[in-house]
Amino acid sequence: MSEPVVEIRDLVKEYVGRKGNHRALSGVDLTVPAGTITAVLGPNGAGKTTAVRIIATLALPTSGSVKVAGIDVAQDPRAVRGLIGLSGQYAAVDGRLTGYENLRMLGRLYGLGGAGARARARELLRMFQLEDAAGRASSTYSGGMRRRLDLAGALVARPPLVILDEPTTGLDPRSRGELWEVVEELTTDGTAVLLTTQYLDEAERLADDVVVFDKGRVVATGTPTELKARLRVPTAHVQLLDPRDLRVAREVLFRSNFRTHPDTADQGWFTADAPYGTRSLMLVLSRLYGTGIDVRDAHVSAPNLDEVFFDLTGKDQRNGSDIADDIADDIADGIAEDVTGGSSVNGSARSYADRGIG
């Protein structure tokens, strides 16, 4: 098995401020394999923001190990920055420059040379379907186009790790769907994606793995399907044409090892555990039709990540940017450290390029 792109072991982060010590992370373990999308979820103050900042070399760990492509972020942060592309919820592009000029400039800042920067800019414009707008000032782009350009900028140096902070915040449904397709394509060449999002449906659509933070710890890790299965199995909801058949129907299904529960009995509804989703429902209907019992309506319901999130943390997933809010809260509380020459995350790979890093 190849080395993970991100590997975190027993990570601890403590802040020291006027109100005393604040432990933001307590023994966090996290792995992001190459060619996968890992979604990081958690309520405000759970610690996920701090973990992402440490991975991005914007904060130092108190103890533990954090490695990106095998390089320790504390021992060689400059090398790590050259391995990361960072794209935030607000597109950090220069509106005075064309799309092509933005990408070419980043290529030069990353040391690609004139020909290399031009070639990479054209390649990314094709990849992100921005060729027709390449010669226009990016200030004339739609929100979705600017977000795609910003993400393209994060890929100029072909980083093995891309960090996406709330990438679809504020986008309309069509632009959101288009960006999802772009993000899904990022992993085809082995790029690892670390995604923070306030939209649980986004995590469910994109993520190969989901990591849930709460109170400075990782409280759950797994695929979206695995996390939902831990909460409860899917349920088949069945309404009989004749409510008087309800008792016989439940007896038939009991003999077929289905657990049933009365729902709205006077309307002929009952529920049955459906561990295999639609396949389980088809078996239920087959048993009923085989004994001459007619069905008026039937469907399957399954837990979603919203339910999983609430069950694990006891909180609703907050709206707004956690990264921005957590840093603002830390500064207000007097516990934020300025360990990298800046007090917040710049939502773009430009945060490195502009400082001549990586």
Side-chain angles (χ1 to χ4, degrees):
M1 184 177 178
S2 61
E3 189 175 57
V5 175
V6 177
E7 188 172 21
I8 298 176
R9 293 290 176 264
D10 199 25
L11 175 61
V12 174
K13 176 62 179 178
E14 291 184 343
Y15 291 102
V16 179
R18 296 190 303 271
K19 297 181 180 180
N21 290 3
H22 169 71
R23 176 165 286 202
L25 296 172
S26 301
V28 167
D29 293 330
L30 174 65
T31 299
V32 182
T36 65
I37 299 173
T38 298
V40 179
L41 307 176
N44 193 42
K48 66 182 187 301
T49 296
T50 301
V52 170
R53 294 185 70 215
I54 292 172
I55 294 169
T57 75
L58 298 174
L60 290 171
T62 302
S63 64
S65 171
V66 180
K67 294 181 179 180
V68 176
I71 301 175
D72 192 286
V73 301
Q75 295 178 6
D76 197 348
R78 183 182 181 89
V80 170
R81 290 173 191 138
L83 300 172
I84 295 174
L86 179 61
S87 181
Q89 62 170 306
Y90 301 110
V93 299
D94 190 329
R96 297 167 298 178
L97 300 180
T98 67
Y100 171 76
E101 289 168 341
N102 267 282
L103 297 179
R104 185 187 62 187
M105 176 190 69
L106 286 173
R108 295 302 300 271
L109 288 171
Y110 276 117
L112 297 186
R118 291 191 294 272
R120 184 59 173 157
R122 288 191 293 267
E123 179 184 3
L124 289 167
L125 289 166
R126 285 194 301 271
M127 181 186 303
F128 286 85
Q129 301 179 8
L130 292 170
E131 284 182 290
D132 291 343
R136 285 167 40 198
S138 60
S139 61
T140 67
Y141 287 12
S142 67
M145 293 170 66
R146 287 173 61 86
R147 199 69 56 82
R148 296 206 305 274
L149 181 63
D150 184 65
L151 182 51
L155 300 178
V156 166
R158 293 184 172 86
L161 174 63
V162 174
I163 299 175
L164 302 180
D165 169 33
E166 313 282 5
T168 63
T169 297
L171 293 185
D172 61 76
R174 179 176 178 178
S175 297
R176 192 172 175 223
E178 290 174 348
L179 196 65
W180 281 356
E181 293 176 0
V182 170
V183 172
E184 288 172 325
E185 292 174 2
L186 293 180
T187 60
T188 57
D189 63 353
T191 301
V193 177
L194 189 62
L195 168 72
T196 69
T197 179
Q198 59 176 303
Y199 301 119
L200 295 176
D201 62 325
E202 183 165 86
E204 191 160 359
R205 157 74 184 267
L206 295 177
D208 298 292
D209 292 292
V210 174
V211 180
V212 182
F213 279 72
D214 192 34
K215 299 176 181 177
R217 299 180 183 274
V218 172
V219 295
T221 304
T223 68
T225 299
E226 289 169 346
L227 293 181
K228 289 184 290 184
R230 293 180 200 175
L231 182 62
R232 63 174 173 85
V233 299
T235 302
H237 300 261
V238 180
Q239 183 184 29
L240 303 180
L241 187 63
D242 187 345
R244 292 172 296 182
D245 289 334
L246 187 59
R247 181 182 60 80
V248 176
R250 296 186 64 194
E251 290 175 355
V252 168
L253 294 174
F254 177 77
R255 291 196 295 270
S256 299
N257 297 317
F258 280 99
R259 293 179 56 194
T260 63
H261 318 277
D263 195 343
T264 310
D266 59 336
Q267 297 178 19
W269 281 99
F270 70 89
T271 61
D273 292 348
Y276 302 107
T278 303
R279 288 172 53 196
S280 295
L281 177 60
M282 297 303 294
L283 287 172
V284 167
L285 297 178
S286 175
R287 298 292 187 274
L288 296 177
Y289 288 134
T291 56
I293 298 175
D294 293 324
V295 173
R296 180 188 300 275
D297 193 8
H299 62 273
V300 174
S301 67
N304 54 38
L305 279 185
D306 293 77
E307 295 176 68
V308 172
F309 184 90
F310 188 81
D311 181 71
L312 290 170
T313 68
K315 306 175 182 71
D316 292 323
Q317 177 76 326
R318 278 178 35 133
N319 288 331
S321 168
D322 260 348
I323 285 183
D325 290 348
D326 280 1
I327 294 169
D329 290 345
D330 285 350
I331 293 172
D333 289 341
I335 58 176
E337 293 178 331
D338 187 357
V339 297
T340 60
S343 61
S344 64
V345 173
N346 185 325
S348 171
R350 232 113 25 280
S351 60
Y352 305 139
D354 285 348
R355 286 148 52 191
I357 297 173

